[in-house]
Amino acid sequence: MLKKGGPSSEIVAVPLELIERRMVPAFRLNEAVKRNARRFPEDFMFQLSGVETAALTSQIVMSKSGRGGRRM
């Protein structure tokens, strides 16, 4: 995390606990964006096409629907 300030920025360590407390499950973030789309910048989120999702599923061995994976 960069600390804003003078001409030279300094790197500041952020405790892991602080980061973990601020993490949001993806489905909650999706809900918030759907309810408040005007509050988010236009380029805040993107959606993968079916082809892109299939490519990622095969590349990183994501679990398939029906086997505990996310249902689309």
Side-chain angles (χ1 to χ4, degrees):
M1 181 172 165
L2 293 177
K3 182 178 178 182
K4 293 182 180 178
S8 63
S9 296
E10 108 185 41
I11 296 176
V12 178
V14 178
L16 183 59
E17 295 80 24
L18 179 61
I19 295 170
E20 288 174 337
R21 282 197 309 250
R22 294 183 181 220
M23 291 177 72
V24 177
F27 75 95
R28 292 289 182 215
L29 182 59
N30 291 336
E31 287 176 347
V33 172
K34 284 179 186 175
R35 278 190 241 122
N36 304 294
R38 293 179 308 214
R39 291 182 163 194
F40 293 89
E42 192 172 308
D43 63 348
F44 180 76
M45 291 183 66
F46 60 90
Q47 188 166 359
L48 298 176
S49 70
V51 172
E52 292 168 324
T53 302
L56 284 175
T57 301
S58 65
Q59 286 178 18
I60 60 174
V61 193
M62 293 171 53
S63 65
K64 310 266 188 276
S65 293
R67 293 186 172 172
R70 182 171 178 183
R71 283 122 180 98
M72 298 193 156

